[in-house]
Short mmCIF file of all heavy atoms in Angstrom, two decimals:
data_model
loop_
_atom_site.label_atom_id
_atom_site.label_comp_id
_atom_site.label_asym_id
_atom_site.label_seq_id
_atom_site.Cartn_x
_atom_site.Cartn_y
_atom_site.Cartn_z
N VAL G 87 9.60 -8.59 -9.02
CA VAL G 87 10.58 -7.61 -8.55
C VAL G 87 11.26 -8.13 -7.29
O VAL G 87 10.59 -8.66 -6.40
CB VAL G 87 9.90 -6.25 -8.26
CG1 VAL G 87 10.92 -5.20 -7.90
CG2 VAL G 87 9.07 -5.78 -9.45
N GLU G 88 12.56 -7.97 -7.23
CA GLU G 88 13.35 -8.43 -6.09
C GLU G 88 13.43 -7.35 -5.01
O GLU G 88 14.52 -6.94 -4.59
CB GLU G 88 14.74 -8.87 -6.55
CG GLU G 88 14.74 -10.07 -7.48
CD GLU G 88 14.20 -11.33 -6.82
OE1 GLU G 88 14.51 -11.58 -5.65
OE2 GLU G 88 13.43 -12.06 -7.49
N VAL G 89 12.28 -6.86 -4.58
CA VAL G 89 12.15 -5.98 -3.41
C VAL G 89 10.86 -6.39 -2.70
O VAL G 89 9.96 -6.97 -3.31
CB VAL G 89 12.11 -4.48 -3.76
CG1 VAL G 89 13.37 -4.03 -4.46
CG2 VAL G 89 10.90 -4.11 -4.58
N GLY G 90 10.78 -6.06 -1.43
CA GLY G 90 9.58 -6.38 -0.68
C GLY G 90 8.38 -5.57 -1.17
O GLY G 90 8.53 -4.48 -1.75
N ALA G 91 7.20 -6.10 -0.91
CA ALA G 91 5.97 -5.43 -1.34
C ALA G 91 5.82 -4.06 -0.72
O ALA G 91 5.34 -3.13 -1.37
CB ALA G 91 4.76 -6.31 -1.00
N ASP G 92 6.23 -3.90 0.54
CA ASP G 92 6.11 -2.59 1.19
C ASP G 92 6.98 -1.55 0.51
O ASP G 92 6.59 -0.39 0.37
CB ASP G 92 6.47 -2.69 2.68
CG ASP G 92 5.43 -3.44 3.49
OD1 ASP G 92 4.27 -3.55 3.04
OD2 ASP G 92 5.78 -3.92 4.59
N VAL G 93 8.17 -1.96 0.07
CA VAL G 93 9.07 -1.03 -0.63
C VAL G 93 8.44 -0.63 -1.96
O VAL G 93 8.38 0.56 -2.30
CB VAL G 93 10.46 -1.66 -0.85
CG1 VAL G 93 11.32 -0.79 -1.76
CG2 VAL G 93 11.15 -1.89 0.49
N ALA G 94 7.99 -1.61 -2.73
CA ALA G 94 7.38 -1.31 -4.03
C ALA G 94 6.16 -0.42 -3.87
O ALA G 94 5.98 0.55 -4.61
CB ALA G 94 7.01 -2.60 -4.75
N TRP G 95 5.33 -0.73 -2.88
CA TRP G 95 4.12 0.06 -2.67
C TRP G 95 4.46 1.49 -2.25
O TRP G 95 3.83 2.44 -2.68
CB TRP G 95 3.20 -0.59 -1.65
CG TRP G 95 1.99 0.26 -1.37
CD1 TRP G 95 1.62 0.81 -0.18
CD2 TRP G 95 1.01 0.69 -2.32
NE1 TRP G 95 0.48 1.55 -0.33
CE2 TRP G 95 0.08 1.49 -1.64
CE3 TRP G 95 0.83 0.46 -3.69
CZ2 TRP G 95 -1.00 2.08 -2.27
CZ3 TRP G 95 -0.26 1.05 -4.33
CH2 TRP G 95 -1.16 1.85 -3.62
N SER G 96 5.48 1.66 -1.42
CA SER G 96 5.85 3.01 -0.98
C SER G 96 6.24 3.89 -2.16
O SER G 96 6.04 5.11 -2.13
CB SER G 96 6.98 2.97 0.06
OG SER G 96 8.21 2.62 -0.54
N VAL G 97 6.76 3.28 -3.22
CA VAL G 97 7.13 4.03 -4.43
C VAL G 97 5.90 4.26 -5.31
O VAL G 97 5.63 5.38 -5.73
CB VAL G 97 8.23 3.28 -5.21
CG1 VAL G 97 8.47 3.91 -6.58
CG2 VAL G 97 9.52 3.25 -4.39
N LEU G 98 5.13 3.23 -5.59
CA LEU G 98 3.99 3.36 -6.51
C LEU G 98 2.88 4.24 -5.96
O LEU G 98 2.19 4.90 -6.74
CB LEU G 98 3.44 1.98 -6.87
CG LEU G 98 4.27 1.21 -7.88
CD1 LEU G 98 3.74 -0.21 -8.05
CD2 LEU G 98 4.30 1.92 -9.22
N ARG G 99 2.71 4.28 -4.66
CA ARG G 99 1.63 5.08 -4.10
C ARG G 99 1.90 6.59 -4.19
O ARG G 99 1.02 7.40 -4.04
CB ARG G 99 1.32 4.66 -2.66
CG ARG G 99 2.32 5.16 -1.63
CD ARG G 99 1.85 5.02 -0.19
NE ARG G 99 0.46 5.33 0.05
CZ ARG G 99 -0.05 6.57 0.09
NH1 ARG G 99 0.72 7.62 -0.12
NH2 ARG G 99 -1.34 6.74 0.34
N GLN G 100 3.14 6.94 -4.43
CA GLN G 100 3.51 8.35 -4.60
C GLN G 100 3.23 8.76 -6.05
O GLN G 100 4.15 8.88 -6.86
CB GLN G 100 4.98 8.58 -4.25
CG GLN G 100 5.30 8.31 -2.80
CD GLN G 100 6.77 8.50 -2.51
OE1 GLN G 100 7.37 9.50 -2.92
NE2 GLN G 100 7.35 7.54 -1.82
N VAL G 101 1.97 8.96 -6.35
CA VAL G 101 1.56 9.19 -7.74
C VAL G 101 2.17 10.46 -8.33
O VAL G 101 2.28 10.57 -9.55
CB VAL G 101 0.02 9.21 -7.87
CG1 VAL G 101 -0.56 7.84 -7.53
CG2 VAL G 101 -0.60 10.29 -7.00
N ASP G 102 2.60 11.38 -7.50
CA ASP G 102 3.22 12.60 -7.99
C ASP G 102 4.71 12.42 -8.31
O ASP G 102 5.36 13.33 -8.80
CB ASP G 102 3.05 13.74 -6.98
CG ASP G 102 3.74 13.46 -5.66
OD1 ASP G 102 3.89 12.27 -5.29
OD2 ASP G 102 4.12 14.43 -4.97
N GLN G 103 5.23 11.23 -8.07
CA GLN G 103 6.64 10.93 -8.31
C GLN G 103 6.83 9.86 -9.40
O GLN G 103 7.87 9.20 -9.44
CB GLN G 103 7.31 10.47 -7.00
CG GLN G 103 7.27 11.50 -5.90
CD GLN G 103 8.07 12.74 -6.25
OE1 GLN G 103 9.24 12.65 -6.60
NE2 GLN G 103 7.44 13.90 -6.17
N ALA G 104 5.85 9.71 -10.25
CA ALA G 104 5.90 8.67 -11.28
C ALA G 104 7.13 8.80 -12.17
O ALA G 104 7.69 7.80 -12.62
CB ALA G 104 4.63 8.70 -12.13
N HIS G 105 7.58 10.02 -12.42
CA HIS G 105 8.75 10.22 -13.28
C HIS G 105 10.02 9.62 -12.67
O HIS G 105 10.95 9.28 -13.41
CB HIS G 105 8.95 11.70 -13.59
CG HIS G 105 9.19 12.56 -12.38
ND1 HIS G 105 8.30 12.66 -11.35
CD2 HIS G 105 10.23 13.34 -12.06
CE1 HIS G 105 8.77 13.48 -10.43
NE2 HIS G 105 9.95 13.91 -10.84
N LYS G 106 10.05 9.45 -11.37
CA LYS G 106 11.20 8.81 -10.72
C LYS G 106 11.09 7.29 -10.80
O LYS G 106 12.05 6.60 -11.09
CB LYS G 106 11.33 9.27 -9.27
CG LYS G 106 11.67 10.75 -9.15
CD LYS G 106 11.74 11.17 -7.71
CE LYS G 106 12.04 12.66 -7.61
NZ LYS G 106 12.02 13.11 -6.21
N ALA G 107 9.89 6.78 -10.53
CA ALA G 107 9.68 5.33 -10.58
C ALA G 107 9.86 4.77 -11.99
O ALA G 107 10.33 3.64 -12.15
CB ALA G 107 8.29 4.98 -10.06
N PHE G 108 9.50 5.55 -13.00
CA PHE G 108 9.52 5.08 -14.38
C PHE G 108 10.60 5.74 -15.24
O PHE G 108 10.54 5.69 -16.46
CB PHE G 108 8.14 5.26 -15.02
CG PHE G 108 7.10 4.37 -14.41
CD1 PHE G 108 6.32 4.82 -13.35
CD2 PHE G 108 6.92 3.08 -14.87
CE1 PHE G 108 5.37 3.99 -12.76
CE2 PHE G 108 5.98 2.25 -14.29
CZ PHE G 108 5.20 2.71 -13.23
N ALA G 109 11.58 6.37 -14.61
CA ALA G 109 12.67 6.99 -15.37
C ALA G 109 13.45 5.90 -16.10
O ALA G 109 13.61 4.81 -15.57
CB ALA G 109 13.60 7.74 -14.41
N PRO G 110 13.88 6.12 -17.30
CA PRO G 110 13.82 7.33 -18.11
C PRO G 110 12.62 7.39 -19.06
O PRO G 110 12.54 8.27 -19.90
CB PRO G 110 15.11 7.26 -18.91
CG PRO G 110 15.26 5.78 -19.20
CD PRO G 110 14.75 5.10 -17.93
N VAL G 111 11.66 6.47 -18.92
CA VAL G 111 10.49 6.48 -19.80
C VAL G 111 9.67 7.75 -19.58
O VAL G 111 9.21 8.38 -20.53
CB VAL G 111 9.62 5.22 -19.59
CG1 VAL G 111 8.38 5.25 -20.45
CG2 VAL G 111 10.45 3.97 -19.88
N LEU G 112 9.49 8.12 -18.31
CA LEU G 112 8.85 9.39 -17.97
C LEU G 112 9.95 10.36 -17.57
O LEU G 112 10.88 10.00 -16.85
CB LEU G 112 7.86 9.24 -16.82
CG LEU G 112 6.63 8.38 -17.06
CD1 LEU G 112 5.76 8.34 -15.81
CD2 LEU G 112 5.82 8.90 -18.24
N THR G 113 9.81 11.60 -18.00
CA THR G 113 10.82 12.62 -17.68
C THR G 113 10.30 13.70 -16.74
O THR G 113 11.09 14.45 -16.18
CB THR G 113 11.36 13.28 -18.96
OG1 THR G 113 10.27 13.91 -19.66
CG2 THR G 113 12.04 12.24 -19.86
N ASP G 114 8.98 13.79 -16.58
CA ASP G 114 8.42 14.81 -15.70
C ASP G 114 7.04 14.37 -15.24
O ASP G 114 6.36 13.60 -15.94
CB ASP G 114 8.32 16.16 -16.41
CG ASP G 114 8.01 17.30 -15.45
OD1 ASP G 114 8.57 17.32 -14.34
OD2 ASP G 114 7.18 18.17 -15.82
N CYS G 115 6.65 14.87 -14.08
CA CYS G 115 5.33 14.59 -13.53
C CYS G 115 4.97 15.73 -12.58
O CYS G 115 5.79 16.14 -11.76
CB CYS G 115 5.37 13.26 -12.76
SG CYS G 115 3.83 12.84 -11.92
N ARG G 116 3.77 16.24 -12.72
CA ARG G 116 3.28 17.27 -11.80
C ARG G 116 1.79 17.06 -11.58
O ARG G 116 1.11 16.50 -12.45
CB ARG G 116 3.58 18.67 -12.30
CG ARG G 116 2.91 19.03 -13.59
CD ARG G 116 3.33 20.42 -14.09
NE ARG G 116 2.99 20.61 -15.48
CZ ARG G 116 1.77 20.89 -15.93
NH1 ARG G 116 0.77 21.04 -15.07
NH2 ARG G 116 1.53 21.04 -17.22
N MET G 117 1.33 17.47 -10.43
CA MET G 117 -0.08 17.30 -10.08
C MET G 117 -0.87 18.56 -10.40
O MET G 117 -0.36 19.68 -10.22
CB MET G 117 -0.23 16.95 -8.60
CG MET G 117 0.39 15.63 -8.19
SD MET G 117 -0.28 14.17 -9.04
CE MET G 117 -1.95 14.11 -8.39
N GLU G 118 -2.09 18.37 -10.85
CA GLU G 118 -3.09 19.43 -11.03
C GLU G 118 -4.36 18.91 -10.40
O GLU G 118 -5.10 18.17 -11.03
CB GLU G 118 -3.32 19.75 -12.51
CG GLU G 118 -2.23 20.56 -13.15
CD GLU G 118 -2.56 20.96 -14.59
OE1 GLU G 118 -3.67 20.62 -15.09
OE2 GLU G 118 -1.71 21.60 -15.22
N GLY G 119 -4.59 19.23 -9.14
CA GLY G 119 -5.72 18.68 -8.42
C GLY G 119 -5.57 17.17 -8.29
O GLY G 119 -4.56 16.69 -7.80
N ASP G 120 -6.59 16.42 -8.74
CA ASP G 120 -6.57 14.96 -8.67
C ASP G 120 -5.97 14.31 -9.91
O ASP G 120 -6.05 13.09 -10.08
CB ASP G 120 -7.99 14.41 -8.49
CG ASP G 120 -8.55 14.72 -7.11
OD1 ASP G 120 -7.75 14.93 -6.17
OD2 ASP G 120 -9.79 14.75 -6.97
N ALA G 121 -5.36 15.11 -10.76
CA ALA G 121 -4.75 14.58 -11.99
C ALA G 121 -3.26 14.85 -11.98
O ALA G 121 -2.78 15.80 -11.38
CB ALA G 121 -5.39 15.23 -13.21
N ARG G 122 -2.54 13.94 -12.63
CA ARG G 122 -1.11 14.19 -12.82
C ARG G 122 -0.87 14.37 -14.31
O ARG G 122 -1.51 13.75 -15.16
CB ARG G 122 -0.26 13.05 -12.25
CG ARG G 122 -0.39 11.73 -12.96
CD ARG G 122 0.48 10.68 -12.31
NE ARG G 122 0.17 9.36 -12.89
CZ ARG G 122 0.46 8.22 -12.33
NH1 ARG G 122 1.09 8.20 -11.16
NH2 ARG G 122 0.16 7.09 -12.91
N ILE G 123 0.06 15.24 -14.60
CA ILE G 123 0.48 15.51 -15.96
C ILE G 123 1.85 14.86 -16.11
O ILE G 123 2.80 15.24 -15.41
CB ILE G 123 0.58 17.02 -16.25
CG1 ILE G 123 -0.68 17.77 -15.77
CG2 ILE G 123 0.88 17.26 -17.72
CD1 ILE G 123 -1.97 17.31 -16.37
N VAL G 124 1.95 13.86 -16.97
CA VAL G 124 3.21 13.15 -17.16
C VAL G 124 3.76 13.45 -18.55
O VAL G 124 3.01 13.59 -19.52
CB VAL G 124 3.08 11.62 -16.95
CG1 VAL G 124 2.72 11.31 -15.51
CG2 VAL G 124 2.09 11.01 -17.90
N THR G 125 5.09 13.55 -18.60
CA THR G 125 5.78 13.77 -19.86
C THR G 125 6.64 12.55 -20.14
O THR G 125 7.43 12.13 -19.28
CB THR G 125 6.66 15.03 -19.80
OG1 THR G 125 5.85 16.15 -19.44
CG2 THR G 125 7.34 15.30 -21.14
N PHE G 126 6.47 11.99 -21.32
CA PHE G 126 7.24 10.83 -21.75
C PHE G 126 8.53 11.30 -22.42
O PHE G 126 8.62 12.42 -22.92
CB PHE G 126 6.43 9.97 -22.73
CG PHE G 126 5.29 9.26 -22.07
CD1 PHE G 126 4.08 9.89 -21.82
CD2 PHE G 126 5.43 7.92 -21.66
CE1 PHE G 126 3.03 9.23 -21.20
CE2 PHE G 126 4.39 7.26 -21.05
CZ PHE G 126 3.19 7.91 -20.81
N ALA G 127 9.51 10.42 -22.46
CA ALA G 127 10.82 10.75 -23.03
C ALA G 127 10.69 11.24 -24.48
O ALA G 127 11.45 12.10 -24.90
CB ALA G 127 11.75 9.55 -22.95
N GLY G 128 9.73 10.72 -25.22
CA GLY G 128 9.54 11.13 -26.61
C GLY G 128 8.83 12.46 -26.76
O GLY G 128 8.61 12.92 -27.87
N GLY G 129 8.44 13.09 -25.65
CA GLY G 129 7.79 14.39 -25.69
C GLY G 129 6.28 14.37 -25.51
O GLY G 129 5.66 15.42 -25.35
N MET G 130 5.65 13.19 -25.58
CA MET G 130 4.21 13.11 -25.40
C MET G 130 3.84 13.52 -23.97
O MET G 130 4.48 13.09 -23.01
CB MET G 130 3.72 11.69 -25.68
CG MET G 130 2.22 11.50 -25.52
SD MET G 130 1.61 9.87 -26.06
CE MET G 130 2.49 8.75 -24.97
N VAL G 131 2.81 14.35 -23.83
CA VAL G 131 2.33 14.80 -22.54
C VAL G 131 0.90 14.28 -22.38
O VAL G 131 0.08 14.43 -23.28
CB VAL G 131 2.36 16.34 -22.41
CG1 VAL G 131 1.78 16.79 -21.08
CG2 VAL G 131 3.78 16.86 -22.59
N VAL G 132 0.61 13.67 -21.22
CA VAL G 132 -0.68 13.05 -20.97
C VAL G 132 -1.19 13.47 -19.60
O VAL G 132 -0.43 13.54 -18.64
CB VAL G 132 -0.54 11.50 -21.03
CG1 VAL G 132 -1.84 10.82 -20.68
CG2 VAL G 132 -0.07 11.06 -22.40
N LYS G 133 -2.49 13.74 -19.53
CA LYS G 133 -3.13 14.04 -18.25
C LYS G 133 -3.84 12.77 -17.77
O LYS G 133 -4.68 12.21 -18.48
CB LYS G 133 -4.14 15.16 -18.42
CG LYS G 133 -4.80 15.59 -17.13
CD LYS G 133 -5.70 16.81 -17.35
CE LYS G 133 -6.25 17.34 -16.05
NZ LYS G 133 -7.07 18.56 -16.30
N GLU G 134 -3.47 12.33 -16.56
CA GLU G 134 -4.02 11.10 -15.98
C GLU G 134 -4.77 11.44 -14.69
O GLU G 134 -4.17 11.98 -13.75
CB GLU G 134 -2.89 10.12 -15.66
CG GLU G 134 -2.08 9.71 -16.86
CD GLU G 134 -0.87 8.86 -16.50
OE1 GLU G 134 -0.37 8.94 -15.36
OE2 GLU G 134 -0.43 8.11 -17.39
N LEU G 135 -6.05 11.12 -14.65
CA LEU G 135 -6.83 11.30 -13.44
C LEU G 135 -6.49 10.16 -12.48
O LEU G 135 -6.53 8.99 -12.86
CB LEU G 135 -8.33 11.26 -13.77
CG LEU G 135 -9.27 11.38 -12.57
CD1 LEU G 135 -9.14 12.74 -11.90
CD2 LEU G 135 -10.71 11.14 -13.02
N ILE G 136 -6.13 10.49 -11.25
CA ILE G 136 -5.87 9.47 -10.23
C ILE G 136 -7.23 9.08 -9.67
O ILE G 136 -7.90 9.86 -8.99
CB ILE G 136 -4.93 9.99 -9.12
CG1 ILE G 136 -3.61 10.50 -9.73
CG2 ILE G 136 -4.69 8.89 -8.09
CD1 ILE G 136 -2.85 9.49 -10.56
N VAL G 137 -7.67 7.88 -9.97
CA VAL G 137 -9.00 7.39 -9.58
C VAL G 137 -8.98 6.89 -8.14
O VAL G 137 -9.88 7.17 -7.36
CB VAL G 137 -9.47 6.28 -10.55
CG1 VAL G 137 -10.81 5.71 -10.10
CG2 VAL G 137 -9.55 6.81 -11.97
N ASP G 138 -7.92 6.15 -7.76
CA ASP G 138 -7.87 5.58 -6.41
C ASP G 138 -6.44 5.24 -6.04
O ASP G 138 -5.66 4.80 -6.89
CB ASP G 138 -8.74 4.31 -6.35
CG ASP G 138 -8.97 3.82 -4.93
OD1 ASP G 138 -8.92 4.63 -3.98
OD2 ASP G 138 -9.20 2.61 -4.77
N VAL G 139 -6.12 5.46 -4.78
CA VAL G 139 -4.88 4.97 -4.17
C VAL G 139 -5.34 4.21 -2.93
O VAL G 139 -5.77 4.81 -1.95
CB VAL G 139 -3.92 6.12 -3.79
CG1 VAL G 139 -2.67 5.58 -3.10
CG2 VAL G 139 -3.54 6.94 -5.02
N ASP G 140 -5.30 2.89 -3.01
CA ASP G 140 -5.84 2.02 -1.97
C ASP G 140 -4.69 1.35 -1.22
O ASP G 140 -4.09 0.38 -1.71
CB ASP G 140 -6.75 0.97 -2.62
CG ASP G 140 -7.44 0.06 -1.63
OD1 ASP G 140 -6.94 -0.11 -0.49
OD2 ASP G 140 -8.47 -0.53 -2.01
N ASP G 141 -4.37 1.88 -0.04
CA ASP G 141 -3.26 1.34 0.74
C ASP G 141 -3.52 -0.09 1.19
O ASP G 141 -2.59 -0.90 1.23
CB ASP G 141 -2.98 2.23 1.96
CG ASP G 141 -2.32 3.54 1.58
OD1 ASP G 141 -1.38 3.53 0.76
OD2 ASP G 141 -2.74 4.59 2.11
#
Side-chain angles (χ1 to χ4, degrees):
V87 185
E88 295 297 319
V89 300
D92 289 339
V93 171
W95 177 242
S96 72
V97 171
L98 284 173
R99 77 166 320 285
Q100 296 178 47
V101 295
D102 63 332
Q103 299 296 307
H105 61 301
K106 294 178 182 176
F108 293 92
V111 177
L112 295 180
T113 60
D114 191 41
C115 176
R116 63 184 164 78
M117 296 300 292
E118 284 185 1
D120 290 336
R122 67 181 171 199
I123 312 302
V124 295
T125 303
F126 290 82
M130 180 172 61
V131 177
V132 176
K133 184 175 186 177
E134 300 173 336
L135 178 65
I136 304 303
V137 177
D138 192 26
V139 178
D140 183 336
D141 287 315

